[in-house]
Amino acid sequence: MKTGIIGLPQVGKTSLFRILTKANLSQHANPREAHVGIAKVPDDRLDRLAALFNPQKLTHASVEYVDVGAIGQEALKESGYIGHLRNVDALAHVLRAFDDPAIPHVGPIDPLRDLKNVEFDLMVSDLGQIEKRLERVEKDLKKMRSAELEHEFDLLKRAKAHLETEKPLREMEMSPEDKKRLRGFMFLSEKPILYVVNIGESTELGKELSQAVQRHKLEEAASRPNAAATAICGKVEAELAEMSDADAAEFLASYGLQESGLTRLIRTTYHLLGLISFFTAGEDECRAWTIPANTRAQPAAGAIHSDLEKHFIRAETIRWDQLLEEGSEANARAHGKLRLEGKDYIVQDGDVMHIRHSG
Ligand SMILES: Nc1nc2c(ncn2[C@@H]2O[C@H](COP(=O)(O)OP(=O)(O)OP(=O)(O)O)[C@@H](O)[C@H]2O)c(=O)[nH]1
Ligand SMILES: [Mg+2]
């Protein structure tokens, strides 16, 4: 699962990418080249399970971020740029709200205006693609009638009309079949989006962060389907990234914060992608596994290993906090807290599972 970091020039995209993925990019990295990196998904539940099991290995879930470079009408005409962007599953749109006369920005600082401009560019790109495809389908339909082609034609017409009302495709109502039909186009405005407001430093950062979305009038945009918003302070996050965990916690507390903006951002991305985690816990390894919400137990076992899916019998299941309460798997079993779930059980976020198999 990949999230593309987008935004206007010089808004803090590469800085965010660096602190998210702890990547050591050279200062001269080509700004036109996409950077790809992995971010660990912080998870307090997994950390607490690990404290109980004291495993040799601890493995968090991860999400991939791609720093594609600044967006604009010009960039969106380059096939390399647009290729990178089409290939991501979600977008993180960095909006500049920090003031710094040394760093150029077109016009006054106005995140909502920037948001609308970039959104517009995404829609124009999709519209161009739809128009091209419509021409093609229309020609083909003249040669030969086909129910599937006609369906595609109607759907694209509907998508076009939707875009012409200046609404992104992520807000269009579609049946699951129609969603599948559009999947191959990888439309940019259809991707779920997280608006990331990058605010300036302040002595009252905790308060500023919690009010930033509202202050910059982004609440309405963030409340739309498949959208969300969060605030970070890139400058402070960069400092945090250099510190030990203990120092970072003290530093956060001094700003009146419980967790870093980055932690919240990664978690929000994970939810926006429709992902949840289940855990496996033992003395060898405690680990988070990533699955889409509403996955059944049998395919979920496949996230661990395809053999477990093939030879699935049952999943011994307990919620992470119940396992902590019991103190051990043996206690949980003795007290009847370990449920035996079959292949059609819908795995819940935070389940600890032990897959029984015949392989
Ligand atoms: N004051 C301040 N400066 C920042 C912040 N975030 C980034 N900058 C500075 O803004 C400049 C641009 O940051 P980048 O992270 O390279 O921005 P970008 O969006 O990747 O820029 P392009 O790739 O050129 O479009 C750098 O000089 C950063 O040090 C911030 O939160 N506060
Ligand atoms: Mg950059």
Side-chain angles (χ1 to χ4, degrees):
M1 284 295 196
K2 272 191 216 160
T3 300
I5 302 175
I6 62 166
L8 294 175
Q10 299 282 293
V11 294
K13 299 180 296 297
T14 303
S15 310
L16 175 64
F17 174 82
R18 253 196 207 107
I19 46 184
L20 274 171
T21 61
K22 311 244 189 309
N24 258 324
L25 302 175
S26 86
Q27 288 299 327
H28 304 290
N30 179 357
R32 272 268 158 267
E33 213 170 275
H35 309 127
V36 185
I38 307 270
K40 184 178 100 170
V41 179
D43 196 329
D44 180 51
R45 301 168 303 178
L46 181 62
D47 295 338
R48 288 170 63 187
L49 285 172
L52 177 66
F53 283 89
N54 199 17
Q56 291 179 5
K57 206 170 154 201
L58 172 61
T59 312
H60 285 80
S62 60
V63 272
E64 210 173 4
Y65 287 93
V66 189
D67 177 16
V68 290
I71 203 164
Q73 298 276 7
E74 284 311 306
L76 283 170
K77 284 184 191 128
E78 289 171 26
S79 59
Y81 181 86
I82 207 156
H84 282 302
L85 210 50
R86 287 226 177 97
N87 264 309
V88 301
D89 304 289
L91 301 171
H93 181 181
V94 183
L95 294 157
R96 174 164 165 184
F98 68 84
D99 214 354
D100 189 337
I103 299 161
H105 189 70
V106 186
I109 298 294
D110 183 348
L112 184 59
R113 175 205 58 203
D114 294 351
L115 181 154
K116 287 182 177 160
N117 284 343
V118 168
E119 205 80 78
F120 188 78
D121 288 347
L122 298 178
M123 292 191 282
V124 167
S125 164
D126 288 348
L127 206 50
Q129 208 188 342
I130 289 180
E131 278 164 358
K132 252 196 247 157
R133 178 66 192 159
L134 274 175
E135 254 174 54
R136 176 87 244 165
V137 175
E138 202 163 12
K139 264 190 207 153
D140 288 352
L141 274 175
K142 277 186 189 139
K143 281 185 234 151
M144 184 187 57
R145 292 271 131 197
S146 129
E148 179 50 37
L149 264 188
E150 267 168 39
H151 211 119
E152 184 186 341
F153 188 77
D154 290 345
L155 177 61
L156 288 176
K157 276 268 188 200
R158 196 154 72 82
K160 181 168 178 264
H162 180 90
L163 286 168
E164 281 164 352
T165 63
E166 296 194 21
K167 285 200 191 118
L169 292 176
R170 77 179 83 88
E171 289 174 24
M172 185 167 133
E173 282 197 34
M174 264 185 276
S175 67
E177 294 77 38
D178 282 351
K179 255 200 151 58
K180 245 186 220 160
R181 281 195 181 89
L182 287 194
R183 196 173 292 157
F185 293 101
M186 300 173 143
F187 288 125
L188 302 180
S189 76
E190 197 191 352
K191 300 180 191 299
I193 196 162
L194 174 65
Y195 303 113
V196 182
V197 199
N198 190 9
I199 68 170
E201 283 170 287
S202 136
T203 45
E204 286 190 276
L205 195 58
K207 202 168 126 213
E208 296 286 332
L209 281 172
S210 64
Q211 293 175 355
V213 170
Q214 193 182 16
R215 163 157 322 157
H216 294 290
K217 305 189 178 65
L218 302 171
E219 274 170 316
E220 196 270 327
S223 67
R224 298 203 176 173
N226 300 310
T230 190
I232 58 158
C233 174
K235 265 262 159 72
V236 168
E237 294 293 340
E239 286 171 42
L240 277 169
E242 308 272 310
M243 291 181 200
S244 70
D245 286 354
D247 286 353
E250 197 175 308
F251 183 88
L252 284 171
S254 75
Y255 274 114
L257 293 168
Q258 268 158 14
E259 60 177 4
S260 80
L262 217 53
T263 301
R264 214 172 36 237
L265 190 156
I266 297 174
R267 224 180 26 227
T268 316
T269 311
Y270 202 69
H271 288 308
L272 195 65
L273 286 165
L275 302 174
I276 61 166
S277 298
F278 73 94
F279 307 115
T280 48
E283 270 138 38
D284 300 338
E285 187 180 26
C286 285
R287 179 161 182 167
W289 302 91
T290 301
I291 50 171
N294 297 315
T295 301
R296 293 180 303 111
Q298 189 167 14
I304 304 176
H305 199 289
S306 54
D307 283 350
L308 293 187
E309 181 171 357
K310 217 155 103 197
H311 304 293
F312 182 94
I313 301 176
R314 278 183 197 295
E316 290 183 310
T317 309
I318 183 168
R319 237 181 34 221
W320 72 277
D321 50 337
Q322 287 180 322
L323 178 55
L324 279 181
E325 237 168 70
E326 293 294 331
S328 73
E329 223 174 275
N331 278 351
R333 188 172 289 117
H335 296 148
K337 291 287 172 64
L338 225 45
R339 287 173 277 134
L340 274 180
E341 301 288 3
K343 61 183 169 49
D344 291 330
Y345 168 70
I346 302 291
V347 179
Q348 303 294 307
D349 191 28
D351 276 348
V352 184
M353 301 189 103
H354 187 102
I355 311 291
R356 284 206 201 154
H357 57 98
S358 61

